[in-house]
Structure formats: structure tokens, C-alpha cells
Amino acid sequence: KALLTKPDIIEGAGFFGYIPAYFASFINRSKRTILIADTVESYVTDVSPVIKFLLSFIERFIFFLTWDAYICISHTVAKKIFQEHKENKKIHIVYCGVDSNLVEKVKTKKTPQKTIICVNRLVSYKRVNDVIAAFSIIRKKIPDVKLRIVGIGEELKSLKIQARTLDVHSAVEFCGFIPDHQKVLSLIASSHVFCSASLVEGFGIAPVESLAVGTPVVLSDIPVHKEVTEKGGAVYFKQMDVEDCAKKILEILSNSKNYLKLQKMGYSHASHYTWDVMSAKTEKIYESLYSN
């Protein structure tokens, strides 16, 4: 299709889009851009070390081909590939956006019981097991607290076993994959705290969506979480430290005045992450390429 339509600019998005985009643009003599959400070494977990090394090698080779513009979804992603990315005028940071139309439709009230929600792929590096472990500590202080886990993945069975072993299974709801994103936002909005213990994120849209619907966030202190949410009143805990995670959540749930302050900061911060803003930034990049 790229060869037949002769576009002025071709963008490769995602590992399997990079190579066809590059060759199509080379044949067409089109401008070429590459959209990088993260590196394969960060998110590919279910393959052998040899395959992972091979995929990473191929990806790195692709990155260092001649592209007219690199669009990364965070400075954290850019730093994984280009250490001095701020000096390179070809590298652009365009964050992900929140669907403001869906957010405006959310009218859900908070649940009667204190509720914590985690929205993640259920894979090892997302550390959902740490959230469950922290929840078991919190439950000793707040007996009727609830935990919702939204997502699917290879860790589901072991997480259910963990919840049963810690004797919190009756208070943990595994919601699975929810295709209706409006429903996901409603579940977040009706919860009191959003928690992610993830060790790897390219951006992490769910915490920003949580801020947008009035649910304070407690996050692992990885660089991208701080880059994206630090000015939004987010609270951070030490990576893989379940006691610190539990402590931070309990502090939020026990201080109503601070809770309202975090909500207010979250609303304000999330308003900067809209698709209108992000698409306008992307359009400027395209226009600059076309004019040159």
C-alpha cells in the first residue's frame, strides 16, 4: 500500500512496522519517521534468552538506520536508545494522551469500602504480586478493604494462588481483560487508590487516566513514573518494597484532607495529557519534515 499510494511521509510504529516502513520510504524516496514506545528487551519476557538477544540486536540495528525523525513516547524511552537525546534535533518526545471524551462520561462514585485498583498486564516485571503482598498488610489495618486487578497474562494463576496463600482471596477481584475502556475508567474512578508496582514502563497511561478521573496514584519509583506523574501529586514507594507500598497507600486512605489535595493536583496534571495536544505536536513534526 505504501508503494502504491506514494506518501510524502512514512512512519514505522512497532517492531514489525519498522522494516517495511524503512524500505517503502527508501523506494518511494519519502521522508521516514519511527515511533518508539519501548524496546523489545524491556517488554519481551516469554521467549528464550537467545531469541530475546536476537530481537534486541535487530531492533538496535533498525534504530541506527537513517531516519528523518525519531518519536519516543517519553524521555525515559529515548534515554534507553540515545543517551544524549536532547542534543539530537531528530529526536522528539510526544507523550501518550488521555481520551478526554471518555473521561467526561465517567460519573461513578467511590465504593462504600476502601478499594485499591491495579491495571496491568499480568507478567513478572509488572510486579502485581507486590501489590497483592502490600494489600495483605493493608488489610490488617483496614479489614474491609478491597483490591481489584484488571488485566490478563501468564502470572494470573500464580497471583490467584498467592492471594489464597495470604488469605486475602475473598477480598481480591480478578477482573480479567475488559475490552470496554469506558468500564475500565469507571472501575478506576470508583476506586480510592490506583497502585502500580511495575519495574518497566515506556510511558504508563493508566496512572495518568487515574489522575484524570480523581483517583490518587501510588507508584513504584521508576524513572518513567516520576517523569510522567511527579507534578500530579503521585506518591512513590521503593521498588519491590511491599511494606513501603502498603505504608504509602495507608497514608493516603487515612488522611482525607491530603486525599482531596492529591485529587486536585491529579485533575490539573492530567489535563496536559490530551490527544489533541499530542496529535498537534506530532503534526508539527510531520510539517517540519515535509517543508524540508
Side-chain angles (χ1 to χ4, degrees), residues 43 54 65 67 76 247:
Y43 61 81
L54 182 60
L65 292 172
W67 297 89
T76 302
K247 178 184 175 183

Side-chain angles (χ1 to χ4, degrees), residues 192-197 207 211 215-222 225-226 228-239 243-253 255 258-259 261-263 265-266 269:
H192 295 78
V193 174
F194 175 97
C195 182
S196 173
L211 297 177
T215 300
V217 298
V218 175
L219 309 170
S220 52
D221 62 351
I222 59 175
H225 278 161
K226 291 190 172 181
V228 172
T229 63
E230 193 164 25
K231 294 180 181 178
V235 176
Y236 307 100
F237 63 91
K238 298 173 186 176
Q239 297 175 37
E243 290 188 0
D244 191 37
C245 178
K247 178 184 175 183
K248 298 297 170 57
I249 293 174
L250 283 166
E251 286 173 354
I252 291 176
L253 293 178
N255 189 328
N258 187 50
Y259 191 91
K261 179 182 176 182
L262 291 174
Q263 277 188 316
M265 292 175 70
H269 186 67

Side-chain angles (χ1 to χ4, degrees), residues 15 38-45 52 55-57 59 63:
F15 185 85
D38 210 338
T39 58
V40 292
E41 62 191 20
S42 296
Y43 61 81
V44 173
T45 59
K52 188 171 183 177
L55 291 173
S56 181
F57 179 82
E59 185 181 61
F63 288 159

Side-chain angles (χ1 to χ4, degrees), residues 3-288:
L3 295 175
L4 291 173
T5 55
K6 304 290 184 183
D8 298 299
I9 301 171
I10 298 178
E11 181 170 286
F15 185 85
F16 294 104
Y18 297 153
I19 293 176
Y22 185 86
F23 282 105
S25 65
F26 182 81
I27 293 169
N28 279 350
R29 296 185 179 181
S30 306
K31 297 287 186 177
R32 60 182 74 102
T33 69
I34 182 169
L35 174 63
I36 307 171
D38 210 338
T39 58
V40 292
E41 62 191 20
S42 296
Y43 61 81
V44 173
T45 59
D46 55 349
V47 297
S48 70
V50 174
I51 296 297
K52 188 171 183 177
F53 173 80
L54 182 60
L55 291 173
S56 181
F57 179 82
I58 293 170
E59 185 181 61
R60 292 283 167 167
F61 174 77
I62 293 168
F63 288 159
F64 289 100
L65 292 172
T66 305
W67 297 89
D68 295 294
Y70 298 83
I71 303 175
C72 299
I73 64 171
S74 66
H75 288 284
T76 302
V77 168
K79 285 178 182 177
K80 290 180 183 180
I81 308 158
F82 316 97
Q83 289 189 351
E84 301 299 327
H85 71 280
K86 291 181 181 179
E87 304 296 324
N88 193 328
K89 293 182 179 179
K90 286 187 176 183
I91 301 169
H92 306 269
I93 308 301
V94 180
Y95 290 126
C96 298
V98 173
D99 190 329
S100 54
N101 291 326
L102 288 182
V103 169
E104 288 173 4
K105 293 177 183 177
V106 174
K107 307 297 182 184
T108 314
K109 293 182 179 179
K110 300 295 183 187
T111 57
Q113 307 101 329
K114 301 295 185 184
T115 304
I116 302 159
I117 189 165
C118 175
V119 181
N120 269 137
R121 283 176 59 207
L122 306 185
V123 293
S124 59
Y125 62 84
K126 297 294 186 180
R127 303 295 301 180
V128 178
N129 57 307
D130 288 347
V131 178
I132 294 175
F135 176 72
S136 69
I137 297 172
I138 294 166
R139 200 158 184 249
K140 294 173 183 177
K141 301 285 185 179
I142 309 175
D144 64 343
V145 68
K146 302 291 183 183
L147 173 63
R148 292 167 170 165
I149 297 175
V150 179
I152 55 173
E154 62 204 40
E155 295 281 301
L156 177 60
K157 185 177 179 180
S158 64
L159 293 172
K160 286 185 175 181
I161 292 172
Q162 180 192 14
R164 191 167 291 276
T165 302
L166 293 173
D167 195 27
V168 295
H169 59 282
S170 62
V172 179
E173 180 184 2
F174 289 92
C175 303
F177 171 71
I178 301 175
D180 183 353
H181 200 61
Q182 180 75 56
K183 186 175 180 180
V184 175
L185 292 177
S186 293
L187 283 173
I188 295 172
S190 65
S191 301
H192 295 78
V193 174
F194 175 97
C195 182
S196 173
S198 179
L199 299 180
V200 178
E201 295 288 349
F203 176 83
I205 190 63
V208 180
E209 290 178 326
S210 299
L211 297 177
V213 297
T215 300
V217 298
V218 175
L219 309 170
S220 52
D221 62 351
I222 59 175
V224 74
H225 278 161
K226 291 190 172 181
E227 177 185 344
V228 172
T229 63
E230 193 164 25
K231 294 180 181 178
V235 176
Y236 307 100
F237 63 91
K238 298 173 186 176
Q239 297 175 37
M240 297 188 290
D241 188 332
V242 297
E243 290 188 0
D244 191 37
C245 178
K247 178 184 175 183
K248 298 297 170 57
I249 293 174
L250 283 166
E251 286 173 354
I252 291 176
L253 293 178
S254 62
N255 189 328
S256 57
K257 186 176 180 180
N258 187 50
Y259 191 91
L260 294 174
K261 179 182 176 182
L262 291 174
Q263 277 188 316
K264 187 176 180 179
M265 292 175 70
Y267 285 133
S268 176
H269 186 67
S271 66
H272 299 290
Y273 294 95
T274 68
W275 284 119
D276 288 341
V277 172
M278 306 315 163
S279 61
K281 287 184 178 180
T282 306
E283 189 175 1
K284 283 185 179 180
I285 296 168
Y286 293 160
E287 287 176 347
S288 67

